[in-house]
Amino acid sequence: MKKLISFSFLIIFMISQVFCHEQTKQKMTINPDPLTEKWIKCENSPPEEYQKNLEEFLIEVENSKPDKTILYYFPEVEKLYNDIYLYTKELVTPPSDTINSVHIENLRNQINNSILDWEILQKNLTQFKLEQVNYSYEILIFVIVISILMAFVFFVMYLISSKLRKESSAFTRQMIQTQEAERERISNDLHDTVCQDLRVLQFMLKDEESVTLCKKITTDVRNTCYALTPSDLKEGIFDSLISLCSLCKEKSDINVILSVQDDIKQNPVFKNFSKEKNLNIYRIIQEIITNALKHAEAENISVLLRSFDENNFKIIVSDDGKGFDLSSSLKKKNHFGLKNIQTRAENLGGKVSLSSEIGEGTQITLIVPYL
C-alpha cells in the first residue's frame, strides 16, 4: 500500500512537470536576438548617438558570449562570435593609422554580415531548444504511462496477495479450530475410557509394584489429557498457566517460572475471559514453552504477565538458551509453530514480536487486549 501511495505522488509530480514543460514551450517563441536588436539600433541612430550606441552594442556582444553547451551543439558559433567581437572592438577604438571612412564602412559591413549569420544561428538554436523541450515532453509522457501501468500492476498484485493472505489466515484459523476439536475429542476419549479402565485395573491388581505402575500410567494419561485440553480453563487462565508451568517443569527438569502482576490477577475482565480467549492465550504460551524445551537447551524459562496500558496487557516468554539467527530462521518456510502463534494472536486482536540472538536466548512478547 505504501508503494502505491508513493507511485501516486510520483504521478502527480510528473503531471505537474508536464504543465511546466508546456508553459516553457509557450514562452520559447522565436523573437529577434538582443544582439541583433542592439546592432539595428546602433545603425539607425543619429551621428551624435552612434558612438554611445556602439559602445552599448560592444557590451551586449561581451554578454552574449556562447557557453560550452551551445558550442558543443553549434561549434561554428565560436568563430562567428569572435569575428563580431573583434570587428566591434576595432570599430569602437580603431588604431590611429586605420581611421578612415572606407575602413570604418568595411568594418560595419563585416559586422552587419556577421550579425545576419548570428541571427540565423540563434533561430536555429531556439528551434533546437524547442525540439529538446518537445523531446523531454514525449519522454515525460512515456514515463507517466509506464508509471501508471506499474502502479496498476502493483495494485493488482496487492489485491491478489491480500486475498491470498486472507485465505491463508482463514485456512490456518480453520485448521486450528479443527485441531482443538480433535484434541478435545481425544482428551475426552482418553479420560472416559483409558483412565476409567486403569482405575478399575488398579483395584483389581494385588501386586504392589503393578499397582504403582498402574497409578503412574494413569497419571501420565491424565497429564496427556490435560495437555490436549486443560480442564481448568473454565476457572480462568491463571490456574491453567500454573498447571502448565508445573507440568513442564516436572517433565523436563528445567526451571519454569510464572509471574503474574497483581493488578492483572485482580482485573475482573482478566478473570472472566471467554474459554476461546483463554485457550488461545494458553496455546500460545504452551507453543513457546514447548519450542524452548525442544530446541533452546535452556536452563530457565520465564513466563511474565505484565501491565501494558489500561486496554492491554503483555505476555513475555523468555529463555536463557542458545538462541538463533532471527533473520535467517524467518526465511525458512517450515515455521508452522510461529504461524500458529501469529494466527492465535490475530484472533485475540494482539501483536507478537520476537527477538533472539545466538548465545543470548530468545524472547517472545505478546500484546493482548483485555476486550
Side-chain angles (χ1 to χ4, degrees), residues 333-347:
K333 295 181 179 179
N334 298 323
H335 273 288
F336 190 71
L338 181 59
K339 192 172 184 179
N340 275 349
I341 292 172
Q342 291 173 333
T343 301
R344 290 185 184 275
E346 290 174 4
N347 291 340

Side-chain angles (χ1 to χ4, degrees), residues 85-341:
Y85 178 76
L86 293 175
Y87 295 149
T88 306
K89 189 80 171 175
E90 187 174 353
L91 189 61
V92 172
T93 56
S96 57
D97 58 344
T98 61
I99 299 177
N100 59 73
S101 58
V102 175
H103 182 70
I104 291 175
E105 187 64 26
N106 186 39
L107 286 174
R108 291 172 66 179
N109 288 333
Q110 288 177 328
I111 295 173
N112 190 59
N113 293 332
S114 298
I115 286 294
L116 292 174
D117 293 339
W118 176 269
E119 179 69 16
I120 293 172
L121 276 172
Q122 291 304 309
K123 288 182 179 180
N124 291 338
L125 180 60
T126 303
Q127 185 63 39
F128 174 76
K129 289 180 179 179
L130 285 172
E131 291 172 357
Q132 290 295 105
V133 170
N134 289 333
Y135 178 74
S136 300
Y137 180 76
E138 291 170 0
I139 291 294
L140 191 59
I141 291 295
F142 175 76
V143 171
I144 289 175
V145 171
I146 293 297
S147 300
I148 292 173
L149 290 175
M150 290 180 66
F152 177 75
V153 170
F154 272 106
F155 179 69
V156 172
M157 290 175 63
Y158 170 77
L159 292 179
I160 294 173
S161 63
S162 179
K163 182 180 179 182
L164 291 175
R165 282 197 302 270
K166 288 179 181 178
E167 290 177 352
S168 177
S169 180
F171 173 76
T172 305
R173 282 196 296 271
Q174 182 63 40
M175 188 161 52
I176 289 173
Q177 291 174 359
T178 304
Q179 283 179 341
E180 291 299 340
E182 188 64 15
R183 282 175 173 175
E184 187 171 2
R185 184 190 67 79
I186 294 172
S187 176
N188 291 334
D189 286 348
L190 287 173
H191 183 271
D192 295 340
T193 57
V194 178
C195 283
Q196 298 299 329
D197 291 344
L198 286 171
R199 187 178 295 111
V200 173
L201 180 62
Q202 181 180 328
F203 288 108
M204 294 175 61
L205 292 171
K206 303 296 182 181
D207 180 64
E208 184 177 345
E209 184 176 347
S210 298
V211 172
T212 303
L213 179 60
C214 188
K215 287 182 178 179
K216 181 181 181 302
I217 294 173
T218 303
T219 301
D220 290 342
V221 172
R222 284 176 178 170
N223 289 340
T224 301
C225 290
Y226 185 85
L228 287 169
T229 304
S231 57
D232 49 6
L233 271 178
K234 295 178 182 179
E235 306 300 324
I237 187 64
F238 180 60
D239 292 337
S240 299
L241 291 179
I242 293 175
S243 300
L244 173 64
C245 293
S246 299
L247 186 61
C248 291
K249 187 175 181 179
E250 290 174 8
K251 290 172 63 177
S252 64
D253 292 328
I254 293 176
N255 189 27
V256 183
I257 303 168
L258 173 66
S259 174
V260 182
Q261 201 166 316
D262 288 339
D263 60 345
I264 296 178
K265 285 191 287 186
Q266 296 169 4
N267 190 314
V269 179
F270 180 81
K271 293 179 180 179
N272 295 294
F273 282 158
S274 65
K275 181 183 176 181
E276 182 182 1
K277 188 162 188 172
N278 282 336
L279 185 59
N280 277 322
I281 294 173
Y282 181 89
R283 291 301 186 204
I284 289 173
I285 297 175
Q286 183 186 41
E287 183 77 43
I288 297 171
I289 293 177
T290 301
N291 289 339
L293 294 176
K294 287 182 179 179
H295 309 295
E297 300 178 8
E299 295 181 359
N300 299 283
I301 299 174
S302 66
V303 181
L304 310 178
L305 275 68
R306 296 286 183 264
S307 294
F308 184 72
D309 56 38
E310 59 181 9
N311 298 319
N312 305 274
F313 68 96
K314 61 182 176 180
I315 301 170
I316 306 169
V317 184
S318 57
D319 65 67
D320 57 359
K322 62 183 181 180
F324 57 91
D325 184 357
L326 185 60
S327 59
S328 61
S329 296
L330 291 177
K331 293 178 182 178
K332 296 179 181 178
K333 295 181 179 179
N334 298 323
H335 273 288
F336 190 71
L338 181 59
K339 192 172 184 179
N340 275 349
I341 292 172

